[in-house]
């Protein structure tokens, strides 16, 4: 028999052979590849999770270091400010003590 395109129609055996070949290809070729790709997906997903955890730890470490650097910078400014304040206060005290020192006594030593 001829089909609408003018070619002979395939018989049932031919069509069943095509279906059997497709089923065989699915069973022997595609299914093992799917299993391999699923295993690869699981492995890669685990690697992504490990990498994500590392990124979180690195961000935490970076944040801690930035906070420590800011704290130390503030402490350095504070120490320098306290030193300046202490020197200024010492000079004020020396000047105040000079007012109570008799003129005949030796002068107080000057500070730096």
């Amino acid at each position: 028999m001829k089909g609408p395109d003018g070619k002979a129609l395939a018989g049932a055996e031919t069509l069943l052979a095509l279906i059997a070949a497709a089923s065989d290809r699915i069973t022997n070729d595609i299914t093992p590849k799917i299993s391999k790709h699923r295993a690869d997906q699981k492995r890669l997903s685990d690697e992504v999770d490990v990498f994500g955890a590392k990124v979180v730890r690195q961000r935490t470490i970076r944040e801690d270091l930035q906070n420590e650097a800011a704290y130390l910078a503030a402490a350095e400014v504070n120490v320098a400010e306290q030193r300046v304040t202490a020197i200024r206060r010492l000079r004020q005290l020396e000047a105040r003590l000079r007012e109570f020192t008799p003129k005949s006594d030796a002068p107080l030593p000057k500070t730096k």
Side-chain angles (χ1 to χ4, degrees):
M1 304 217 46
K2 294 202 182 229
D5 59 356
K7 295 183 182 177
L9 291 174
E13 294 82 21
T14 305
L15 295 175
L16 287 174
L18 290 174
I19 291 172
S23 294
D24 184 54
R25 182 169 177 258
I26 288 171
T27 303
N28 296 325
D29 187 34
I30 295 175
T31 302
K33 286 181 181 177
I34 290 172
S35 297
K36 180 187 176 297
H37 290 312
R38 282 186 180 158
D40 288 345
Q41 177 193 15
K42 183 176 179 345
R43 180 183 51 80
L44 291 173
S45 177
D46 292 343
E47 287 180 20
V48 167
D49 291 343
V50 167
F51 183 77
K54 286 181 182 179
V55 168
V56 168
R57 283 194 306 267
Q58 288 295 323
R59 286 182 179 159
T60 302
I61 290 169
R62 183 188 67 193
E63 184 178 332
D64 290 347
L65 290 175
Q66 287 173 335
N67 290 340
E68 185 177 356
Y71 173 78
L72 291 175
E76 181 180 342
V77 168
N78 193 27
V79 167
E81 187 64 33
Q82 286 178 352
R83 181 178 180 277
V84 169
T85 302
I87 291 171
R88 186 173 354 116
R89 184 67 182 133
L90 178 63
R91 288 182 183 151
Q92 289 172 350
L93 289 172
E94 287 173 346
R96 185 75 173 132
L97 285 173
R98 275 192 215 101
E99 293 177 13
F100 295 103
T101 311
K103 301 293 181 195
S104 63
D105 286 350
L108 292 173
K110 283 200 134 195
T111 59
K112 295 181 185 180

